[in-house]
Amino acid sequence: MARVGVVALSLVVVLLGAGLPRPAAAKTQVFLSKLPKSLVVSVSPKHGDVLHAGDDKLTVTWSPNATAGSDAAFKSVKVKLCYAPASRTDRGWRKANDDLHKDKACQFKVTVQPYAAGAGGNGTFDYVVARDIPTASYFVRAYAVDESGTEVAYGQSSPDAAFDVAGITGIHTSLKVAAGVFSTFSIAALAFFFVVEKRKKDK
Amino acid sequence: MEAKPAAMEVEGVEAARGKPRFRMPVDSDLKATEFWLFSFARPHMASFHMAWFSFFCCFVSTFAAPPLLPLIRDTLGLTATDIGNAGIASVSGAVFARLAMGTACDLVGPRLASASLILLTTPAVYCSSIIQSPSAYLLVRFFTGISLASFVSAQFWMSSMFSAPKVGLANGVAGGWGNLGGGAVQLLMPLVYEAIHKIGSTPFTAWRIAFFIPGLMQTFSAIAVLAFGQDMPGGNYRSLHKSGDMHKDSFGNVLRHALTNYRGWILALTYGYCFGVELTIDNVVHQYFYDRFDVNLQTAGLIAASFGMANIISRPGGGLLSDWLSSRYGMRGRLWGLWTVQTIGGVLCVVLGIVDFSFAASVAVMVLFSFFVQAACGLTFGIVPFVSRRSLGLISGMTGGGGNVGAVLTQYIFFHGTKYKTETGIKYMGLMIIACTLPIVLIYFPQWGGMFVGPRKGATAEEYYSREWSEHEREKGFNAASVRFAENSVREGGRSGSAGQSRHTTPVDESPPARGGV
């Protein structure tokens, strides 16, 4: 039995090691603190506004910062929805990191648009808040991306003027009914057996 | 000798009812002396299967939330503190529930005790699907976790059905395959979620629906116990009490004899650092791999599952090892085995906390660690049945409860909020395991000895167990079961202790030899 155990154990370890998808290898590192803040980003909801996931819409507008340098390298604009600091405290899985590949604060993609150099670099996008956006406070960040897909500049709406999203709960009435029915059934089954036992005992 | 009349009384009554023929060989207590894993022979093996499966379902329910946390935490807006608190709540309910279960088993029998507990906690599982706030999350995890007290009834049931040479193995397999639920669910829930999500449900609804699977499993396993189970080979407590075959004990006496036995307290502490650690890891490992190594929900589930899945063989292996050590070295072998295996588990835990730089190393160490920590649980329950006969249920309950206390403490100190990084918490937990395993050296049985001290000359098992009964009670024959147990435990004296006696207990029933047991 011991030998079988050792063989089984080794097999498990090898299979696990071989079969598991490896965590992704890092690409070129980009640090937020090194990126120039070349874009000015604004969003339609004001501080404290509540948007409902799946229903409400927000409009994000971006334009090049007047004092920024050349925007020749900008090929597209990647806009992301980011958790505001208040929604990140005590939540390690949303931690902001200067290394953009390790950053977990900006998890939701809003849109990727080509950079309209001809229109003076201005752009706008109407975004219907997706159904899977959780309840939290957010701000919007836009990255200017070059042809290789690497971020070269960014801009963001003020994290201190964050707006809120009310996520869907996912609860349907049928769930509540089912929970009630099955709970009652369990207790009733117990009561049934107790009654049967008592009858047998009294006989 | 008082044992004979009591045993014959049982047989006499049985004859009047039509003597039950057991397919398995049994001792004078009607407990099976063999363990046939793939059989459903009534009542012994049937009880085994019902016991481990219903306990498995409780584990599945209790740890159904952790693998879905990446979804739940966003739906409810949970913080790390909320999650830590709920993790603590999930294992704290069972601390007192296990004590209560031990007593309940002593008084009304494992069948009613376990089924009642399981059916009464199932509503919490169903309600997990409709929670909307961090406090609701904490409450459902608390009430669901109370079902883990069914561990005590499972162990008690096995100790009532299986004789000394096989009790370690029976307890180990029942406990291990039950604990398996904590591992299987880490794999099960992400898969169930994925299936529901694919059918078309949104993520925030899919995880809610997923909770019905553990709920239904739990409900139906308990109904099976009520419909098909029985407390003892001879029948259910109610009928045995009525016919006078079994003395109906009082809560006060059972409590007194459990609390005053120091061995129960020591085992409660050490169990907190094998089983308690197992519960902690069940709560923590999925998120650890998901967040630290950036793997997806299903992969983290697979890894987390492999920890709990080791229970298929690790805990039974511990029980088997305990029984084997006992056959060569008696109770002293069981004690040494427990201390050694649990300490190695502690060392591996420290290593796990240190190798967080490597994904492959972490997985490998975790698998090894799981084997040792779970085997230690099996070894613990190779010793528990011998601590007390009168208060077996409550001692089992204390030890089991101690396991949960260990989980509560460990999670509170190391895995709560953001004070320690998870890998640091794991390292310190390993050190605590090593320290809290040392008290095993203090356990001493006068008739069998302890780790460093041999048995006292002239001390007998019968004396040790009869000590729990007063002179008056002994005269009335209330301690009949204890005397039978003492006789059947002769082998715990090791080779020298049982010299001159048959290695196997005397079968009362001339049943055909085992066709293939474990």
Side-chain angles (χ1 to χ4, degrees), chain A residues 5 14 37 39-40 53-54 60 77 90 95-96 108 110 115 132 141 150 154 159 163 169-170 176 179 182 186:
Chain A
V14 166
K37 209 167 178 190
L39 294 174
V40 176
V60 56
V77 175
D90 204 12
K95 204 154 166 240
F108 304 105
V110 172
Y115 183 72
D132 61 353
R141 183 184 291 165
T150 316
Y154 81 104
F163 57 91
T169 60
K176 290 188 179 170
F182 285 116
S186 303

Side-chain angles (χ1 to χ4, degrees), chain A residues 9 20-21 23 90-91 93-94 104 132 134 168-172 175 178-179 182-183 186 190 193-194 197 201, chain B residues 73-74 77-81 111 123 126 130 132 204-205 208 212 216 219 226 238 242 291 293 299 367 371:
Chain A
L9 172 56
L20 284 171
D90 204 12
R91 293 177 177 93
W93 55 91
R94 293 180 184 170
K104 293 185 182 173
D132 61 353
I168 56 173
T169 60
I171 299 180
H172 299 285
L175 266 179
F182 285 116
S183 302
S186 303
L190 183 63
F193 275 97
F194 263 98
E197 290 273 316
K201 185 183 172 190
Chain B
R73 67 191 181 192
D74 277 343
L78 301 176
T79 62
T81 308
R111 172 179 161 263
Y126 295 122
I130 52 178
Q132 296 196 58
F204 295 162
T205 305
R208 295 177 180 280
F212 279 87
L216 288 168
T219 301
L226 280 173
R238 263 207 167 105
K242 242 177 88 177
D291 289 332
F293 298 105
T299 307
V367 172
F371 276 93

Side-chain angles (χ1 to χ4, degrees), chain B residues 4-323:
Chain B
K4 289 273 187 318
M8 290 203 339
E9 223 177 80
V10 171
E11 279 186 52
V13 175
E14 301 291 14
R17 282 196 234 124
K19 180 179 175 177
R21 297 212 161 275
F22 298 124
R23 279 171 61 197
M24 305 183 71
V26 293
D27 65 13
S28 63
D29 224 347
L30 303 182
K31 296 186 189 181
T33 52
E34 309 237 341
F35 182 77
W36 301 341
L37 185 59
F38 299 109
S39 154
F40 278 81
R42 298 184 75 163
H44 306 92
M45 292 315 301
S47 303
F48 162 75
H49 287 292
M50 283 186 277
W52 83 258
F53 188 69
S54 55
F55 179 45
F56 172 90
C57 294
C58 294
F59 245 96
V60 167
S61 305
T62 304
F63 294 102
L68 295 178
L69 264 177
L71 293 154
I72 302 177
R73 67 191 181 192
D74 277 343
T75 312
L76 303 180
L78 301 176
T79 62
T81 308
D82 290 330
I83 295 174
N85 285 341
I88 292 170
S90 70
V91 292
S92 54
V95 171
F96 291 106
R98 285 181 165 204
L99 293 170
M101 269 306 259
T103 316
C105 286
D106 283 324
L107 301 176
V108 303
R111 172 179 161 263
L112 283 177
S114 69
S116 305
L117 171 79
I118 294 175
L119 284 171
L120 288 172
T121 49
T122 315
V125 185
Y126 295 122
C127 290
S128 304
S129 64
I130 52 178
I131 52 177
Q132 296 196 58
S133 69
S135 24
Y137 176 66
L138 185 130
L139 281 172
V140 291
R141 288 214 68 194
F142 174 73
F143 285 108
T144 307
I146 294 180
S147 68
L148 287 187
S150 59
F151 165 74
V152 176
S153 51
Q155 299 285 291
F156 185 96
W157 209 358
M158 294 301 95
S159 302
S160 307
M161 287 283 174
F162 291 90
S163 185
K166 291 295 175 188
V167 76
L169 179 63
N171 274 340
V173 185
W177 288 17
N179 285 19
L180 187 64
V185 75
Q186 311 267 4
L187 200 55
L188 180 71
M189 292 305 266
L191 288 175
V192 169
Y193 163 78
E194 204 41 50
I196 298 174
H197 187 30
K198 278 216 162 67
I199 294 177
S201 209
T202 56
F204 295 162
T205 305
W207 71 255
R208 295 177 180 280
I209 299 177
F211 272 95
F212 279 87
I213 307 293
L216 288 168
M217 282 169 64
Q218 208 175 311
T219 301
F220 288 106
S221 67
I223 292 179
V225 167
L226 280 173
F228 305 117
Q230 69 184 64
D231 294 312
M232 299 181 79
N236 283 322
Y237 271 32
R238 263 207 167 105
S239 36
L240 294 174
H241 283 154
K242 242 177 88 177
S243 63
D245 289 340
M246 189 175 158
H247 163 66
K248 193 169 174 16
D249 212 344
S250 84
F251 174 63
N253 281 322
V254 165
L255 182 67
R256 189 164 50 92
H257 288 289
L259 294 182
T260 51
N261 196 327
Y262 75 93
R263 301 169 194 84
W265 292 101
I266 295 183
L267 287 174
L269 170 65
T270 62
Y271 198 60
Y273 285 91
C274 55
F275 182 63
V277 164
E278 188 183 333
L279 289 180
T280 302
I281 297 276
D282 279 340
N283 261 334
V284 155
V285 73
H286 186 275
Q287 259 199 247
Y288 174 58
F289 276 93
Y290 184 87
D291 289 332
R292 178 87 183 74
F293 298 105
D294 273 327
V295 293
N296 69 19
L297 207 75
Q298 281 74 27
T299 307
L302 180 61
I303 300 170
S306 61
F307 174 81
M309 302 282 260
N311 264 304
I312 298 181
I313 51 176
S314 57
R315 190 170 171 140
L320 198 62
L321 178 64
S322 189
D323 285 340

Side-chain angles (χ1 to χ4, degrees), chain A residues 8-191:
Chain A
L9 172 56
S10 338
L11 204 64
V12 167
V13 174
V14 166
L15 280 175
L16 272 179
L20 284 171
R22 281 284 175 282
K27 298 183 284 246
T28 32
Q29 284 189 311
V30 184
F31 294 97
L32 189 71
S33 50
K34 301 238 171 25
L35 290 182
K37 209 167 178 190
S38 306
L39 294 174
V40 176
V41 176
S42 65
V43 291
S44 52
K46 294 184 293 293
H47 178 47
D49 276 357
V50 178
L51 300 175
H52 288 90
D55 285 331
D56 291 334
K57 184 176 68 156
L58 70 86
T59 308
V60 56
T61 316
W62 62 88
S63 54
N65 193 326
T67 57
S70 154
D71 59 356
F74 300 178
K75 282 292 172 281
S76 50
V77 175
K78 183 165 69 176
V79 184
K80 293 189 114 165
L81 193 62
C82 307
Y83 288 110
S87 290
R88 296 201 306 253
T89 44
D90 204 12
R91 293 177 177 93
W93 55 91
R94 293 180 184 170
K95 204 154 166 240
N97 194 313
D98 201 31
D99 179 344
L100 288 187
H101 290 298
K102 293 190 183 157
D103 177 60
K104 293 185 182 173
C106 298
Q107 294 183 13
F108 304 105
K109 195 181 84 168
V110 172
T111 185
V112 177
Q113 302 273 320
Y115 183 72
N122 300 320
T124 186
F125 184 75
D126 287 336
Y127 171 64
V128 176
V129 181
R131 287 182 62 97
D132 61 353
I133 305 291
T135 305
S137 303
Y138 297 88
F139 64 96
V140 170
R141 183 184 291 165
Y143 295 105
V145 175
D146 70 8
E147 347 177 274
S148 65
T150 316
E151 297 85 355
V152 290
Y154 81 104
Q156 62 190 26
S157 68
S158 172
D160 298 322
F163 57 91
D164 297 326
V165 168
I168 56 173
T169 60
I171 299 180
H172 299 285
T173 321
S174 51
L175 266 179
K176 290 188 179 170
V177 170
V181 165
F182 285 116
S183 302
T184 316
F185 171 71
S186 303
I187 312 271
L190 183 63

